[in-house]
Amino acid sequence: MPWFAWLLAAAALGVAEFFTLTLVFGLFAGAALVAAVVAGVGIGILGQLLALAAAAAAGFILVRPVALRQMTQQPITRDGTDALIGKRAEVMQEVTATRGLIKLSGEEWSARALDESLVIPVGALVDVMEIEGATAIVYPRELLP
């Protein structure tokens, strides 16, 4: 079988994997690529089929269990003050480089501006960029006048 036929088979299997997301067609696509390389080297059809079978078996025995385990793990969740980073807050008292007060997730937090030259007025919306102790470092969501 010519090498480009194996490449076409690999592409078709890759498209099938894209739509099913089962990892089965993807592993067969990888095995077809191995068979294409073997065909490109000039080994006959029996060698190509053996390479296809060996690559598919290796994929199912070695790769698929690891991939499935990674897919079933829970996503990393942020908690504590890390969960507040990126949240929107409202300025309760003018925020400067040294002081201020914001309402963040229903609580009042001391705050200071990320850019030391900014003075953020009351009522402005800000994004929490980081938390240092009990102080939120914020940056305005919109341009200030």
Side-chain angles (χ1 to χ4, degrees), residues 2 16 21 27 39 51-52 57 61 63-64 67-68 74 81 86 89 95 101 115 118 120 122 125 129 137 142:
L21 299 176
L27 292 173
L52 176 75
I61 292 169
V63 175
R64 193 165 192 264
L68 289 176
Q74 294 293 323
T81 57
V95 176
L101 191 67
D115 183 349
L118 288 178
I120 306 170
V122 174
L125 294 178
M129 306 307 283
I137 313 302
E142 299 174 0

Side-chain angles (χ1 to χ4, degrees), residues 78 81 83-91 95 102-105 109-115 118 120-121 123-131 135-144:
R78 298 186 309 173
T81 57
L84 299 174
I85 296 172
K87 295 254 184 191
R88 181 186 318 181
E90 183 180 353
V91 176
V95 176
I102 61 170
K103 187 164 198 144
L104 173 62
S105 296
W109 279 73
S110 60
R112 65 182 176 84
L114 179 67
D115 183 349
L118 288 178
I120 306 170
L125 294 178
V126 294
D127 287 323
V128 176
M129 306 307 283
E130 58 184 288
I131 303 285
T135 302
I137 313 302
V138 298
Y139 194 79
R141 289 186 69 84
E142 299 174 0
L143 292 176
L144 297 174

Side-chain angles (χ1 to χ4, degrees), residues 1-12 32-41 48:
M1 194 164 167
W3 62 269
F4 59 85
W6 286 114
L7 285 180
L8 289 174
L33 286 175
V34 170
V37 169
V38 170
V41 171
Q48 295 169 28

Side-chain angles (χ1 to χ4, degrees), residues 6-87:
W6 286 114
L7 285 180
L8 289 174
L13 289 165
V15 169
E17 176 63 35
F18 177 77
F19 287 111
T20 62
L21 299 176
T22 60
L23 300 176
V24 174
F25 291 114
L27 292 173
F28 278 126
L33 286 175
V34 170
V37 169
V38 170
V41 171
I43 297 175
I45 188 72
L46 182 59
Q48 295 169 28
L49 292 175
L50 286 174
L52 176 75
F60 281 101
I61 292 169
L62 301 173
V63 175
R64 193 165 192 264
V66 174
L68 289 176
R69 188 171 38 249
Q70 292 296 319
M71 288 174 46
T72 58
Q73 286 182 350
Q74 294 293 323
I76 296 173
T77 57
R78 298 186 309 173
D79 56 0
T81 57
D82 287 339
L84 299 174
I85 296 172
K87 295 254 184 191

